[in-house]
Amino acid sequence: MTLSTPSSSPQPFIQLCNVDKFFGGFQALKDVSLDIQLGQKIVICGPSGSGKSTAIRCINRLEAHDAGTIAIDGVTIDDSAAARAVLRNNVGMVFQQFNLFPHLSILENLTLGPVRARGMAPAAARELAEYYLERVKIPEQINKFPTQLSGGQQQRVAIARALCMEPKIMLFDEPTSALDPEMIAEVLEVIEELAASGMTMICVTHEMGFAGHVADRMVFMDHGRIVEMAPPEQFFSAPESDRCKTFLQQILRN
Amino acid sequence: MFRSLFLIAIVSLLSGCSSGTWGWYVVDPSTPAGQRNLWFLIDGLYYTIALSVTAILISIFLGLIVALPGLARQRPPRMFNRVYVELVRAVPILVLILWVYYGLPQVADISISVFWAGVLALAISDSAFQAEIFRAGIQSIDRGQHEAAHSISLTYADKMRYVILPQAIKRILPALGNQLVYMLKMSSLVSVIGMEELTRRANELVVTEYRPLEIYTVLVLEYLVLILVVSAGVRWLELRLAANDTR
Ligand SMILES: Nc1ncnc2c1ncn2[C@@H]1O[C@H](COP(=O)(O)OP(=O)(O)OP(=O)(O)O)[C@@H](O)[C@H]1O
Ligand SMILES: [Mg+2]
C-alpha cells in the first residue's frame, strides 16, 4: 500500500489549514488541517455528528467555512469565479443518497454537466457518458430513468456522473450507507478500481475492509476535530487515542 | 358532459317553478332571433379565453420572477418577495382592474386598451398567488438536487432551468390548473370596463331582451362547461405526466 504513495510535491494539491465551521452557535469543524497530494486516497471515519460530511462539503463549497483557508491547486476556495473554475475543473462528488435527477434519463444525468458547465458538444458528451457508464459496468442502462435502477446501479450512475466532469479528485460521502447489503460490494468494487487507476480521493466511510485496501491515510474525526491521522496499518493495529480505539472496536464488532 | 346536462335540467326546473312564464325563446336555437342571440352570447368566449390565457401566461412569468428572490439566503430579496405578495394580495381584483384602466393612463401618460388593461390587472393580481405556488413547489424539491447540481458546477440559471423547475412544475401543476380555473372566473370582472367577454355579452343582451333569468342561466352554463372542460384537460395532463414518472 505504502508503495503506491506518490512522491510528495512541494505544494499539496488540496490544503485545509485551520478550518473552522459554525452552524449558528454550534461549531462543526474545529481547527481542521489536512494536506492531500495528487493521487492520494484519504478515508475519513468517526462517530455520527463528528463533522466528516461538513469537512468534505467545505472542500467543494457546499458549505462555506468560517475561518482558516482551503486551497485547491493553489487557488483559495471562496465565492470567487476563480474558485468556481477550480472546483469545476477538479472536484467531483458522490452523495450518500445518490441525488440523481429523477426527471432525466441516465444519459441526460451524465451529459448535463459536461454540456452546460463545460460547454461540451452533445455528441462528445454522449461518448464520454458511454465511456464512464462502461467503467461503472452498466452501459446497457443508458436510456433508462433513475427510478428503474437498483440502489447499487443508481450509485454507480452517480459515480459516472461525477466522473463525466473529469475531475482530478473525487469526494465520497458515505457512498454505500444507503445501500442494501448485497449492493455494497458492487459499488465498492467500482470505487476501488477508480482508486487503482490513480484518482485522488477523499472518502467518508465506515467500510473498514475497503478502507484498509484503498487508503493511504486514515483520518479519525471526533467533535469537529481531526483526532488521529495515520497510514491504515498503524491506524488499525495501534490507534493512539482512546476515542479512536473505542470507535474502531464498535465498528469492527459489527 | 353528463354532469352539465344534469345541471341544465335542474336549472330549467327551478326557473320553471319560480317564474311561471318561460322565456327560453330568447335563446331558442330553432328560431333565427334566438340563434342570433345564442351566438352573440357564445361569441364572448373568445375574449374570456384570450384574456385568461394571456393573463395566466404573464402571471406565471411574473410569479416566477417574484418567487425566486423569496428563496434567496439574503434578507433584501426575501423582503421584496414578501412586500410584493402582501401588497398585491391586499388589492381586490375589481379595484385593480379599475385602477389600471382609468388610473394608469394618467400616471404613466400612456393609453391602454380595454383588453390589455384587463390582462395586466388579472396577471398582476394572480402573480402573487403564482409566486407563492412556485415558492412552495421549489421548496418541496429535495436539497440533494441542489447539491448535486452544484457538484456538477451548474450555474444558478442552469440549475433552475434543467434540474429544479422541471421537477417543481410537475408538482405544482394541479395548483396551476386551479389558478387557470380561477382566472377564467375572475375574467368576468373585466366586463365592468367594457370588455366584450361572456359576462358583458350577457349583460348587453339582458338590457335589450329583458330576459335576465334565461340569459344569465345560459351564462352560468357557459362558464360551467368551459371550466369542466379545462379541469378535465388539466387532469389529463397530470395523469400523463404521472405516467411518465413510472416509465
Ligand atoms: N446545515 C446544518 N445546520 C445545522 N447544523 C448542522 C448542519 N449540518 C451539520 N450540522 C451539525 O454539524 C455536526 C456535524 O455534522 P456532519 O454532517 O458533518 O457529521 P458527520 O460526521 O457527517 O455525521 P454522520 O456520520 O451522521 O453523517 C452535526 O452535529 C450536525 O448536527
Ligand atoms: Mg455525514
Side-chain angles (χ1 to χ4, degrees):
Chain A
M1 280 301 111
T2 38
L3 290 178
S4 64
T5 310
S7 59
S8 54
S9 55
Q11 200 191 29
F13 188 65
I14 296 189
Q15 190 166 37
L16 280 75
C17 215
N18 312 114
V19 171
D20 290 342
K21 169 69 188 171
F22 292 85
F23 291 110
F26 177 78
Q27 188 165 9
L29 292 181
K30 296 172 188 159
D31 200 24
V32 169
S33 295
L34 184 63
D35 288 354
I36 301 154
Q37 307 291 345
L38 263 188
Q40 279 194 330
K41 292 109 184 74
I42 310 287
V43 167
I44 304 179
C45 61
S48 180
S50 57
K52 309 177 298 289
S53 298
T54 307
I56 63 171
R57 289 160 60 85
C58 282
I59 293 176
N60 79 342
R61 202 67 180 172
L62 274 174
E63 306 283 358
H65 55 287
D66 297 301
T69 53
I70 299 175
I72 299 177
D73 205 8
V75 176
T76 304
I77 298 307
D78 49 23
D79 287 327
S80 69
R84 273 202 300 279
V86 143
L87 289 175
R88 180 172 63 238
N89 296 327
N90 293 291
V91 184
M93 181 155 179
V94 173
F95 302 86
Q96 183 175 350
Q97 300 294 345
F98 329 139
N99 294 344
L100 294 176
F101 306 129
H103 60 300
L104 299 179
S105 72
I106 301 307
L107 176 67
E108 290 163 335
N109 265 275
L110 298 195
T111 54
L112 183 60
V115 171
R116 300 305 311 175
R118 297 176 65 204
M120 232 181 189
R126 189 193 166 101
E127 261 176 44
L128 196 67
E130 284 168 350
Y131 171 75
Y132 282 113
L133 269 188
E134 194 87 46
R135 285 209 29 195
V136 300
K137 306 180 187 116
I138 35 175
E140 71 284 358
Q141 311 289 1
I142 192 159
N143 290 319
K144 294 212 179 147
F145 282 77
T147 50
Q148 295 173 301
L149 305 188
S150 72
Q153 290 173 326
Q154 290 190 46
Q155 190 60 303
R156 284 185 280 157
V157 170
I159 293 172
R161 176 176 68 184
L163 290 175
C164 279
M165 296 298 286
E166 308 198 285
K168 292 209 183 70
I169 170 159
M170 288 279 283
L171 309 174
F172 293 90
D173 191 358
E174 307 207 33
T176 56
S177 304
L179 294 176
D180 293 335
E182 70 270 19
M183 295 171 184
I184 293 179
E186 66 188 48
V187 171
L188 290 182
E189 188 185 310
V190 163
I191 301 177
E192 277 182 47
E193 285 175 13
L194 192 62
S197 76
M199 177 66 75
T200 315
M201 298 189 336
I202 304 177
C203 185
V204 175
T205 182
H206 292 152
E207 296 289 333
M208 289 305 163
F210 161 84
H213 281 156
V214 167
D216 298 305
R217 247 186 310 162
M218 295 294 302
V219 170
F220 174 73
M221 291 187 70
D222 195 22
H223 291 109
R225 283 184 202 283
I226 294 185
V227 175
E228 199 151 334
M229 179 147 54
E233 312 85 86
Q234 190 185 330
F235 182 81
F236 290 116
S237 61
E240 282 171 14
S241 66
D242 288 341
R243 274 184 285 178
C244 189
K245 269 178 213 157
T246 324
F247 175 76
L248 283 177
Q249 274 165 7
Q250 278 169 358
I251 287 282
L252 296 174
R253 198 178 305 136
N254 301 335
Chain B
M1 249 9 244
F2 204 72
R3 257 182 293 173
S4 42
L5 285 177
F6 179 66
L7 265 147
I8 291 182
I10 295 269
V11 171
S12 340
L13 265 177
L14 281 178
S15 63
C17 292
S18 55
S19 76
T21 45
W22 291 93
W24 287 109
Y25 65 88
V26 282
V27 288
D28 183 352
S30 59
T31 66
Q35 201 175 35
R36 196 168 357 93
N37 286 343
L38 206 51
W39 276 118
F40 179 78
L41 288 174
I42 292 174
D43 213 29
L45 203 57
Y46 169 78
Y47 276 122
T48 290
I49 292 175
L51 265 175
S52 305
V53 171
T54 316
I56 200 140
L57 290 178
I58 295 174
S59 82
I60 285 175
F61 178 75
L62 276 179
L64 187 56
I65 303 257
V66 174
L68 292 177
L71 295 159
R73 227 174 280 165
Q74 304 87 334
R75 238 181 111 71
R78 286 212 315 271
M79 283 300 291
F80 162 76
N81 170 280
R82 286 327 304 162
V83 169
Y84 182 95
V85 169
E86 296 302 334
L87 260 180
V88 171
R89 267 203 308 216
V91 183
I93 300 184
L94 184 54
V95 174
L96 199 58
I97 291 170
L98 294 171
W99 190 86
V100 169
Y101 187 59
Y102 296 108
L104 193 63
Q106 283 184 29
V107 178
D109 195 28
I110 49 164
S111 66
I112 188 162
S113 72
V114 171
F115 180 80
W116 286 106
V119 163
L120 200 60
L122 288 176
I124 290 173
S125 163
D126 194 52
S127 67
F129 295 92
Q130 297 285 1
E132 291 295 86
I133 291 170
F134 268 103
R135 198 166 62 93
I138 292 170
Q139 269 171 340
S140 78
I141 302 298
D142 181 53
R143 197 167 139 218
Q145 294 291 306
H146 292 266
E147 298 186 347
H150 174 95
S151 80
I152 57 169
S153 297
L154 296 187
T155 59
Y156 175 80
D158 280 347
K159 175 181 82 174
M160 281 298 164
R161 177 163 162 210
Y162 294 103
V163 177
I164 305 300
L165 286 178
Q167 297 182 63
I169 286 172
K170 203 180 276 188
R171 284 194 199 173
I172 64 180
L173 207 70
L176 292 186
N178 282 344
Q179 283 310 110
L180 179 57
V181 166
Y182 182 72
M183 188 74 99
L184 286 166
K185 293 196 275 188
M186 287 308 134
S187 69
S188 63
L189 292 173
V190 184
S191 61
V192 298
I193 54 172
M195 185 77 242
E196 292 270 325
E197 42 65 72
L198 288 176
T199 304
R200 177 77 179 198
R201 286 289 169 104
N203 281 339
E204 286 176 359
L205 200 62
V206 165
V207 170
T208 53
E209 297 287 345
Y210 213 70
R211 276 284 168 197
L213 174 66
E214 291 77 8
I215 291 168
Y216 286 138
T217 301
V218 170
L219 181 62
V220 166
L221 292 176
E222 282 175 316
Y223 278 114
L224 196 66
V225 170
L226 179 62
I227 278 153
L228 287 177
V229 167
V230 169
S231 300
V234 171
R235 217 168 310 125
W236 174 81
L237 198 62
E238 271 169 46
L239 286 177
R240 239 189 57 151
L241 286 174
N244 276 355
D245 261 353
T246 50
R247 252 173 316 210

